Amino acid sequence: MTTTRALPPAERPGREIDRRVAGRVSAGATAAGRVLAVLDAFGPAHAALTLSEISRRSGLSLTTTHRLVGELRTWGALERGPDGRYGIGLRLLELGALAPHGLQLREVAVPYLDDLHQATRANVVLGVRDGSDVVYVEALRARGAVKLMSRIGGRWPLHVTGTGLVLLAFAAPEVQEEVLSGPLKRFTSETITDPQVLRRRLADVRRTGVGIAENQLTADVPALAVAVPVRGAGDEVVAALGVTVEQGTVQAQALVPVLNATARGISRALGAPSAQPTRRSAHTHG
């Protein structure tokens, strides 16, 4: 008599589980891990989910999911829409505002971003690094401009965007090596997936202070992304400022001066020593 082995949830047919989350749950199975698995089930392509979908994507049983979702909804981390689906609640947005490299940075930068938006009539983004991704804390869309793939809270791999290239180029060596040694996901035929090509590109970004990405994310609409670093109180790169335009409408180098001026203003407001105006001597000599 043949016995059949019951497949674990992550191996059952039709189980579209985020294996990163499922692995986290099975490894620790703590209460905090299960809560994080529920929250991590949501994402840009999964902003609204049913209980069953949350259960499937988190790798948790429906009973456990029902209990945790109820608790998170009571606390304000999740909200239930008219259609019965759940989404991220405003309480998490309130907590996000406390992140030093998140919404606090955004508050300082917004006036400068508005000026850049008006000056260029282009899509404007401000991103910070989170692991091997760039996460956007602000994204201003320009009317009639190329489609903006980024949104507030959205994330992309560092190697496929102008802002990501800047953040990766000025990241610690161990961060760069981790990205270079891992698989580089391809989005279009022009996406950089060769580690050696990416390594040379990062060296160029460090030399010029400018990150340029062309047609790395979308193939249907040719796009040009140009970005520069934003520095913090210790002159470290804390964010990247970028604009996205339709390819062929403007040369990348034509956008660099206004980008650098805006980044310098934000860096100055953040206390970066290199962005402070030089003081002239109070004494003159004949």
Side-chain angles (χ1 to χ4, degrees):
M1 181 177 179
T2 302
T3 59
T4 57
R5 179 179 63 90
L7 292 174
E11 296 179 10
R12 293 173 191 164
R15 299 283 289 188
E16 298 176 359
I17 294 176
D18 182 333
R19 295 182 184 274
R20 174 171 57 88
V21 177
R24 183 187 302 154
V25 175
S26 60
T30 63
R34 290 191 291 271
V35 169
L36 291 173
V38 169
L39 295 176
D40 216 12
F42 295 87
H46 304 280
L49 300 171
T50 65
L51 264 178
S52 296
E53 289 169 339
I54 297 173
S55 172
R56 184 167 61 250
R57 287 180 55 76
S58 67
L60 298 170
S61 70
L62 192 57
T63 301
T64 299
T65 301
H66 183 272
R67 176 175 56 80
L68 292 176
V69 166
E71 293 177 3
L72 288 168
R73 184 186 177 194
T74 300
W75 186 77
L78 295 179
E79 295 178 353
R80 190 168 188 259
D83 60 354
R85 293 175 177 268
Y86 294 88
I88 297 298
L90 291 177
R91 188 72 181 274
L92 290 184
L93 180 61
E94 295 175 12
L95 290 179
L98 302 177
H101 295 308
L103 296 185
Q104 287 184 357
L105 169 64
R106 176 182 176 275
E107 288 181 4
V108 171
V110 160
Y112 299 94
L113 300 181
D114 285 337
D115 289 345
L116 178 62
H117 189 239
Q118 293 298 322
T120 61
R121 300 293 180 182
N123 297 320
V124 175
V125 293
L126 182 69
V128 298
R129 185 177 67 83
D130 182 28
S132 58
D133 294 334
V134 53
V135 177
Y136 293 100
V137 297
E138 183 57 282
L140 302 178
R141 300 175 184 272
R143 182 177 299 176
V146 64
K147 180 182 178 183
L148 181 62
M149 296 296 293
S150 306
R151 59 178 181 80
I152 297 178
R155 65 171 62 223
W156 292 101
L158 291 169
H159 70 285
V160 298
T161 69
T163 50
L165 288 173
V166 168
L167 293 169
L168 182 57
F170 290 97
E174 56 267 25
V175 174
Q176 296 179 29
E177 292 306 316
E178 181 179 354
V179 172
L180 288 164
S181 63
L184 299 173
K185 184 176 179 180
R186 180 182 296 279
F187 291 86
T188 74
S189 61
E190 296 185 51
T191 301
I192 301 175
T193 57
D194 185 329
Q196 294 308 314
V197 173
L198 179 57
R199 193 182 296 275
R200 291 193 294 270
R201 179 67 63 85
L202 296 178
D204 287 340
V205 174
R206 285 189 292 274
R207 177 176 56 83
T208 64
V210 181
I212 299 174
E214 298 182 80
N215 304 328
Q216 298 291 300
L217 272 177
T218 58
D220 53 342
V221 180
L224 167 68
V226 185
V228 297
V230 173
R231 298 182 180 274
D235 254 351
E236 75 284 13
V237 174
V238 297
L241 171 69
V243 295
T244 304
V245 298
E246 186 173 349
Q247 192 178 40
T249 58
V250 63
Q251 294 295 315
Q253 292 305 318
L255 296 167
V256 173
V258 67
L259 270 170
N260 277 333
T262 304
R264 192 179 307 113
I266 300 173
S267 299
R268 185 183 306 121
L270 293 173
S274 61
Q276 303 306 316
T278 55
R279 296 182 178 180
R280 296 181 178 179
S281 174
H283 305 282
T284 58
H285 302 278

